[in-house]
Amino acid sequence: MNDFQIPTEQQPPRRSWIFPALLLIAGVLIGVILTSDLGWLPTGHAVPESVPPPVATPVSTAVQPTLPGAGGQSFVDVAKVVKPAVVNIFATRNGSSEEGKGTPFEDPFFRRFFGEEWMKRFEAPKERKERGLGSGVIVDPNGLIITNNHVVSKADEIKVFLSDKREFKAKLVGTDAKTDVAVLKIEAGGLPTVAWADSDKLEVGEFVLAVGNPFGLTQTVTLGIVSALGRAAGIAEYEDFIQTDAAINPGNSGGALVNVRGELVGINTAIYSQSGGNMGIGFAVPSNMAHSIMEQLVQHGKVVRGWLGVSIQELTPELSSQFGVPKDVKGVLVSDIMDDSPAKKAGFERGDVIVEYDGKPMDSPAHLRNAVAQTVVGKKVTVKLIREKKPKSIELTIAEQPKNLAQAGVEEGGESVAPAGLLSDVEVRELNTELAGRYGLKSSDHGVVVVRVKPGSPAEEAGVREGDLVLEVNRKAVGTLKAYEHVAANLPKDQAVLLLLRRQGRAIYLTLRP
């Protein structure tokens, strides 16, 4: 008997129901919590909650600071007063066109072949119009307007547009190209105006406003300061410009430059620009000059200028030492006296240094020239000067400036000479008809003429040029070649030489230094 036994079949274990029941209960509880919004968990909404609109509170205009010396006014107040008195000027000039002349299309054959109507398509316009924009300032309630000469020059029609949109045809009262000032008149009354200021009291650093119509943008106001006074820019014959960094652009010409009191200190005239737009350097005619010119144009239709009858030049430190003038003294050097002039009759001499004219100090030729020109003809003035290191006063009566200023002399002839000293680098020849023609001199002039200057020499550095007529050497007249040789031969090599030359009809002093 085999003791190997077959095991009996075992029963499978009973599946537990407790764990699934617990999971089910937990799931039910979590669902209840999530759906009941008991506030135990953070909540969010797909649609944003409504937010009450912000409450708009009015903001007042910033308080404008009052300006020193402006009587409690601000820039805003000044602009409100000045803008209505600044006008827009529209000038038109008619001209005939030369285009198309002498072309085959003007031949009668072509006209007959193609017909008149077809040919008109190729005709150049017979008339063209040039239009210019500028500004002006009303200075009289009855319609008197001041502007620039270049704004209305040669215009056939001038229109003026006021700030209230009214339009007027303007009459040209008069122009003065030498100061670039013009005066217009419109038939209107009760107009707003700008009061005149004394431009002589203007100082560098003062605030100024420029008002005008740059690029046709009417009633434009810009702010700046007075950058410099007494500027000469080569724009007009008589210049005493106010320089400002207030933005001035094309179209501003003729507009107002006013101070912080809203008074007219200048007429905007020009800009220095490499781009055609504002670069912070603008120029204005001072109000005193503009007002004087305007009065003469209104009263006489022309400008009558005073005349002293002297040629003048800048008093440099070198020339000051030559004439014994202290370095701290400013003045203007007289280089020549014109025949039959008030200065000649009053006893002026070459080498006089004018330090004061009619009670006003003179520090530049332009300053003196403008002061004399604005002096009423027939007025007696006192001129203070330094002569031979001594102060002197001369009283004289100003005359009317002649149209042609010329001087006569005696013709001489001769040969060339090359002197020693600092003048050894300058070759001169006695003036004759041939040399006069070559250098544009008058045959009636007398003296020695420079025919060569050594390059790089002290004479060239001092400014001596070929064609200069030598009148004096160290204050001694050299009307002939012999006289020039005598003076030049005795010049020390280590001392400066003072020359009086005539160039382009004008006498000037130059100092040669070793």
Side-chain angles (χ1 to χ4, degrees):
M1 186 171 173
N2 190 358
D3 53 336
F4 178 79
Q5 296 180 355
I6 300 174
T8 61
E9 183 177 358
Q10 294 181 354
Q11 296 293 326
R14 183 177 296 177
R15 184 173 295 176
S16 174
W17 56 268
I18 297 175
F19 184 70
L22 291 176
L23 290 176
L24 178 63
I25 294 172
V28 171
L29 290 175
I30 292 173
V32 171
I33 294 173
L34 292 176
T35 56
S36 62
D37 194 15
L38 298 178
W40 294 353
L41 298 174
T43 60
H45 303 276
V47 179
E49 295 181 1
S50 61
V51 180
V55 179
T57 57
V59 179
S60 59
T61 303
V63 178
Q64 299 295 313
T66 57
L67 306 171
Q73 292 190 107
S74 67
F75 288 129
V76 173
D77 299 323
V78 174
K80 287 179 179 179
V81 171
V82 176
K83 284 171 58 180
V86 177
V87 302
N88 195 4
I89 296 176
F90 191 87
T92 305
R93 182 162 65 98
N94 297 323
S96 60
S97 175
E98 299 294 329
E99 296 180 5
K101 291 188 177 181
T103 64
F105 296 106
E106 293 198 341
D107 193 305
F109 171 78
F110 282 91
R111 291 186 175 274
R112 288 195 302 268
F113 186 82
F114 291 103
E116 290 291 336
E117 292 300 321
W118 190 85
M119 290 296 296
K120 286 181 180 179
R121 303 177 186 178
F122 300 93
E123 287 183 344
K126 298 298 182 183
E127 295 290 331
R128 60 186 173 86
K129 290 188 176 182
E130 296 179 357
R131 297 178 174 86
L133 290 174
S135 306
V137 186
I138 304 174
V139 292
D140 185 278
N142 293 320
L144 207 59
I145 299 170
I146 190 165
T147 183
N148 285 143
N149 171 66
H150 74 262
V151 172
V152 297
S153 178
K154 299 180 181 180
D156 295 300
E157 184 181 56
I158 303 172
K159 291 184 179 180
V160 172
F161 297 86
L162 305 187
S163 60
D164 59 8
K165 308 303 181 183
R166 284 188 291 169
E167 176 185 335
F168 294 88
K169 281 189 176 181
K171 173 187 175 183
L172 184 62
V173 177
T175 64
D176 181 48
K178 293 185 177 181
T179 55
D180 198 18
V181 172
V183 180
L184 306 176
K185 179 73 168 64
I186 60 175
E187 296 302 324
L191 299 175
T193 64
V194 179
W196 292 95
D198 184 356
S199 57
D200 288 345
K201 296 181 180 179
L202 198 63
E203 295 187 72
V204 174
E206 282 192 42
F207 279 121
V208 285
L209 296 176
V211 187
N213 307 296
F215 302 107
L217 301 172
T218 60
Q219 303 294 296
T220 297
V221 182
T222 55
L223 170 67
I225 64 169
V226 176
S227 305
L229 297 170
R231 288 294 198 207
I235 302 167
E237 188 171 336
Y238 287 88
E239 298 180 330
D240 190 23
F241 289 130
I242 300 167
Q243 180 184 327
T244 178
D245 65 350
I248 296 176
N249 286 290
N252 267 116
S253 292
L257 188 71
V258 299
N259 58 22
V260 294
R261 293 178 295 279
E263 300 167 334
L264 189 65
V265 296
I267 302 298
N268 300 324
T269 298
I271 59 174
Y272 173 82
S273 175
Q274 295 177 336
S275 62
N278 174 61
M279 294 183 67
I281 301 178
F283 300 103
V285 179
S287 59
N288 287 359
M289 177 182 286
H291 188 259
S292 174
I293 297 299
M294 183 194 74
E295 286 187 330
Q296 294 191 58
L297 290 175
V298 172
Q299 295 175 10
H300 310 293
K302 65 176 183 178
V303 177
V304 178
R305 291 184 167 86
W307 183 51
L308 183 60
V310 294
S311 293
I312 54 179
Q313 66 181 91
E314 194 82 28
L315 183 66
T316 63
E318 292 80 6
L319 292 174
S320 293
S321 62
Q322 289 288 333
F323 289 94
V325 179
K327 294 182 179 180
D328 58 340
V329 174
K330 295 182 178 180
V332 180
L333 179 62
V334 175
S335 56
D336 204 3
I337 315 295
M338 300 179 185
D339 293 334
D340 298 323
S341 66
K344 186 76 171 181
K345 297 174 182 177
F348 275 74
E349 296 179 4
R350 282 177 180 162
D352 286 345
V353 176
I354 299 175
V355 295
E356 187 177 296
Y357 173 84
D358 199 21
K360 297 179 180 179
M362 295 291 121
D363 57 5
S364 71
H367 193 185
L368 176 61
R369 193 164 178 259
N370 291 329
V372 174
Q374 294 180 54
T375 304
V376 177
V377 174
K379 180 181 179 180
K380 287 187 176 181
V381 298
T382 300
V383 180
K384 293 184 179 181
L385 50 86
I386 297 175
R387 178 184 295 170
E388 302 294 344
K389 303 180 182 181
K390 296 179 181 180
K392 185 177 180 65
S393 293
I394 297 180
E395 189 177 81
L396 72 160
T397 301
I398 295 298
E400 181 178 349
Q401 185 183 99
K403 294 182 179 180
N404 298 317
L405 302 178
Q407 298 190 54
V410 179
E411 184 177 347
E412 301 281 353
E415 302 176 352
S416 63
V417 65
L422 287 176
L423 293 181
S424 61
D425 298 320
V426 179
E427 184 178 350
V428 301
R429 190 182 298 268
E430 197 156 316
L431 186 63
N432 54 33
T433 305
E434 186 272 327
L435 291 174
R438 182 194 304 179
Y439 297 117
L441 301 171
K442 296 179 180 179
S443 57
S444 58
D445 286 335
H446 66 285
V448 291
V449 63
V450 177
V451 296
R452 181 182 175 275
V453 183
K454 183 179 179 181
S457 64
E460 185 189 55
E461 293 177 358
V464 180
R465 302 177 188 172
E466 184 179 340
D468 286 344
L469 191 66
V470 183
L471 304 178
E472 291 182 1
V473 177
N474 281 351
R475 309 293 301 279
K476 296 179 181 179
V478 288
T480 65
L481 185 59
K482 185 176 181 181
Y484 179 86
E485 288 179 317
H486 178 72
V487 176
N490 297 305
L491 293 176
K493 294 182 179 181
D494 57 348
Q495 291 186 9
V497 177
L498 179 66
L499 296 180
L500 176 64
L501 309 173
R502 179 168 294 152
R503 179 183 298 163
Q504 297 178 346
R506 167 173 182 266
I508 59 171
Y509 280 105
L510 292 179
T511 302
L512 279 61
R513 293 196 172 276

